[in-house]
Amino acid sequence: MSDAADDILTKPLGVGDQATRRRFPLSPGALVGAASLVGLALLGGSIALTGDPRGGEPRAIAAIEIREPVAAVPPVAQVAPLTPAGPVQSARDLEQASGVSVVRPDGSTAPDAPVIIRVPNATQVKLNPAPDPRLIERGRHGPLPRLGEGRLRPLDVYARPEEPGPGARIAILVSGLGIGEATTLGAIARLPAPISLAFSPYGGDLEKIAARAREAGHEVLLQLPMEPFDYPDSDPGPQTLLAAARPGENLDRAAWAMSRFPGFVGVVNAMGAKLMNEASALDPVLKDLAARGLGFVDDGTVPRSQLAGAAAKAKLPSARAESVIDAVARPDAIDAELARLETLAHQKGFVLASGSTSPMTIDRLSRWSRDLETRGVRLVPVSVALRQAGSAGKVSSAVP
């Protein structure tokens, strides 16, 4: 081998003089051919080692599973939990507020037991509107009732009509409404519509609350504060009619009370044991009430009352309660007095009773009256006694 060949073989690649490089020129085609030979050699080696023409290439296998398309599920709306608008009430609270009562005659609590559902003023007896402009005059404290043309009386116009029917009759007057909104509204809703209601002149928003009672079918009266024997230890209020007061003063105080709300058929005493036994102080007041076309109810709480004689003298329609149903304020005592009232009604045909607006009294009255007609007794308004007494020109607590 020549020295030139040795140099080529022993010198590092690319090291040498220009003359040497010029002696073995490599064309582009030669370079491509050389690269192809190297590639074939590597491929041949890969096939020889792995038996795979793609041997040596990086690979990955992915499994593809074909499924049926799934229908889209609509999103579920988020529903807020139901919450009561106000405090949770018991069935009894709801019954008291609405006045609708459910009665199970046999006392059974089974779901399929027979029941009687009683709705207040179910017959929808409508009272005449109040105030009636024909029966109003302007007073120092406000509008006052008066006798209309042709002797048209507030007692007749504002009275609840008596529903016809057979059997014994009972009229009940419940007094003391207007003091305490919840108690007043409960009494209006729970008591049967024929029961008459008397409002204290010291209540708030009396015009509105008395109108609500009349809309429910209840006839209304005004409580007139009168002096008791132990006044002022027992004090009916700042406008009390006094036995020692001048007639003009008592008439002014009565006018203040009568201006508090319209639509009442008459007045009922609030206390008054002393005044109702003092003719000189009582007579001017009764004459004024008669001249206005009203009536007077003695609630029966004043022993030895002189009202009957004084009312007859003044030609004022009046009646006295024969029973005070809650004189003994116990449930069993009230129930016993109501039973006695039924007996009296069967014996006499008609009886008038009074009671307070205490929750106990309202509850016992509501229970007692539920099936009263099945026992041959019906309720009538207090004006039945007053109008009959007035038309007959006499004082009476019983109407044959």
Side-chain angles (χ1 to χ4, degrees):
M1 185 177 296
S2 66
D3 292 338
D6 288 340
D7 288 340
I8 292 172
L9 293 176
T10 58
K11 284 186 179 182
L13 185 62
V15 178
D17 55 20
Q18 295 295 327
T20 303
R21 286 197 294 272
R22 284 193 300 267
R23 289 175 60 188
F24 295 93
L26 292 177
S27 67
L31 289 174
V32 172
S36 299
L37 290 176
V38 172
L40 289 175
L42 292 174
L43 177 62
S46 173
I47 294 173
L49 292 175
T50 66
D52 185 354
R54 291 184 177 183
E57 291 185 8
R59 291 180 296 166
I61 299 174
I64 301 175
E65 181 180 357
I66 300 176
R67 297 181 180 179
E68 293 294 329
V70 180
V73 179
V76 179
Q78 297 296 319
V79 180
L82 295 177
T83 56
V88 177
Q89 294 180 303
S90 68
R92 179 174 177 138
D93 291 337
L94 293 174
E95 178 181 321
Q96 177 172 346
S98 66
V100 176
S101 57
V102 179
V103 185
R104 292 178 170 81
D106 58 358
S108 173
T109 58
D112 57 348
V115 298
I116 299 172
I117 299 177
R118 180 174 148 271
V119 180
N121 199 24
T123 56
Q124 295 300 309
V125 173
K126 298 296 183 182
L127 278 62
N128 290 324
D132 186 320
R134 300 171 298 172
L135 305 174
I136 289 293
E137 69 179 16
R138 180 61 54 182
R140 187 169 78 89
H141 302 287
L144 295 173
R146 72 175 181 92
L147 201 64
E149 294 293 332
R151 298 192 63 79
L152 186 66
R153 302 184 300 180
L155 171 57
D156 301 314
V157 174
Y158 297 142
R160 175 188 169 92
E162 179 185 358
E163 299 174 69
R169 296 176 295 168
I170 296 176
I172 297 178
L173 175 63
V174 172
S175 299
L177 280 85
I179 305 297
E181 183 179 8
T183 301
T184 297
L185 294 179
I188 291 172
R190 296 191 69 198
L191 292 177
I195 290 182
S196 302
L197 306 178
F199 288 82
S200 166
Y202 304 114
D205 206 5
L206 282 178
E207 187 168 351
K208 180 179 178 181
I209 203 73
R212 181 164 181 171
R214 298 185 80 252
E215 288 171 4
H218 295 283
E219 184 177 81
V220 300
L221 288 89
L222 167 69
Q223 279 189 284
L224 201 57
M226 297 179 170
E227 182 182 3
F229 280 118
D230 58 349
Y231 179 85
D233 291 336
S234 296
D235 188 355
Q239 297 287 344
T240 296
L241 279 62
L242 302 173
R246 294 187 302 271
E249 185 178 355
N250 277 340
L251 290 175
D252 185 70
R253 293 185 176 196
W256 173 85
M258 286 189 287
S259 70
R260 298 289 287 141
F261 64 92
F264 52 89
V265 299
V267 302
V268 57
N269 59 294
M271 300 187 186
K274 185 172 182 179
L275 183 74
M276 293 169 71
N277 283 282
E278 187 66 50
S280 62
L282 184 63
D283 288 350
V285 176
L286 299 187
K287 288 179 181 179
D288 182 67
L289 295 175
R292 297 184 181 281
L294 301 169
F296 194 108
V297 176
D298 180 342
D299 68 1
T301 60
V302 176
R304 299 179 300 277
S305 168
Q306 302 299 312
L307 176 71
K313 181 180 176 182
K315 297 182 180 180
L316 172 68
S318 71
R320 177 178 169 85
E322 298 181 57
S323 167
V324 180
I325 61 176
D326 53 0
V328 180
R330 294 198 319 268
D332 60 328
I334 294 173
D335 292 344
E337 189 61 24
L338 290 171
R340 190 181 78 85
L341 199 61
E342 284 187 53
T343 301
L344 284 174
H346 283 296
Q347 292 173 352
K348 304 175 66 173
F350 175 87
V351 64
L352 170 63
S354 70
S356 73
T357 190
S358 74
M360 181 190 303
T361 301
I362 301 306
D363 181 66
R364 304 322 296 176
L365 272 174
S366 177
R367 293 170 182 268
W368 166 77
S369 64
R370 287 172 179 173
D371 55 352
L372 186 61
E373 292 192 13
T374 66
R375 303 194 295 275
V377 179
R378 59 190 175 93
L379 291 169
V380 297
V382 168
S383 60
V384 168
L386 294 174
R387 296 168 74 187
Q388 183 68 23
S391 63
K394 62 180 181 180
V395 179
S396 175
S397 61
V399 179

